[in-house]
Amino acid sequence: MIPNKKFLRWITIVLLISLIALFSWYFTRPQPVPVDVATIEIGDVEATVVNTRAGTVKSCQRSNLAPASGGQIAKIWIKEGDRVQKGQTLLELWNEDLRAQRELAQRQLLTAQERRRETCILAENARREAIRTQQLVEKGFVSSQRADDANANARSRHASCDAAITDIQRAEAQVRVAQAGLDRTIIVAPFSGVVAHISGELGEFTTPSPPGIPTPPTIDLIDDACLYVTAPMDEVDAPKIKVGQNARITLDAMPDRIFPGKIRRIAPYVTEIEKQARTVDIEVDFSTIPADALLVGYSADVEVILERKENVLRIPTQAVRQNKMVWMVDDKNRLSEQSIETGLSNWSFTEIRTGLGKSDRVLISFDQDILKPGTVVQPKAN
């Protein structure tokens, strides 16, 4: 039986309406929300604190050297950048007068030594003479008065010998005094290091800093074989920090490198500076001094590791919402809210104790206003 035209027309109308509805739904349906997704994995989590202001690389030994007395620079034995050894002479002031005084004292010492030799020889001879005279007295060849005179002369000569020895000690002390005066005009390296700066030229006058008047040092000497970092930590974090804890050091000059270190000292007081946060200074040793150039004065940041857990479930910290909730993504890319119990946490990762398992997926970036349970999302390609 052939359908009539009226029936076919109704069929056509129904099909058109269905197609229009289908196309309307297809083009107006909610689009999946593009989001960043992270997969729960096994890893390490650390609790850390960092400095509030930039730290500084410092040398274990750094001396601003100046002569003990003022004078005219006569000799400069080094130049900036030279490496010197402990005890090496670096600079001398004009000191010809002091050298002459030292030479005079040394010659007086030689004279005193020769005088002692003379007087002590005479004293020894007088002692032997006194012994022989006493033997003659015992045999009755000379009077006892003659023996007394010989004994007195021997004792006198011996006293002169002792005085000559004391005079030698006086002359030696005089040489030391002259040498001390000479040393006040000479700068020697108190330790091995590198010469950072020299303030002064040949012929110029230099003086030590008088009290209350800071003047530039003549020589700035740095021991660059021993370096450490000092960094200010917020007073709130100070009670958590202990001597011996591990730390990571980063330098602005070498942003791609991390240097391991260990805390060696914590200041016993809080630094209070007007209009700045109160801080506690810590000192961190490098575990290994970098082989390449590491300059004193570099700005540095210190991340102190308070606690560390290895091989635990962890989640990116930015995925954790208020009240310890996360958005979980199922196999069909639909959202559901999940409560979790967290453990150790830092800016990067948070330990997961319960609520999630390995390979579960959670959102790490999202618009809170458009998300709700059941929303279909589209994970972004990494």
Side-chain angles (χ1 to χ4, degrees), residues 231-244:
M233 310 298 291
D234 193 280
E235 62 176 345
V236 176
D237 297 326
K240 309 172 188 176
I241 303 173
K242 308 296 180 184
V243 173

Side-chain angles (χ1 to χ4, degrees), residues 20 52 144 153 186 233 274:
I20 292 173
T52 57
S144 59
N153 182 59
I186 301 175
M233 310 298 291
E274 184 179 1

Side-chain angles (χ1 to χ4, degrees), residues 7-37:
F7 179 77
L8 291 176
R9 187 168 57 249
W10 278 106
I11 294 296
T12 303
I13 293 173
V14 171
L15 290 175
L16 288 175
I17 292 174
S18 300
L19 288 174
I20 292 173
L22 179 62
F23 279 106
S24 297
W25 171 84
Y26 180 81
F27 289 107
T28 61
R29 76 187 190 281
Q31 297 297 320
V33 179
V35 292
D36 290 327
V37 175

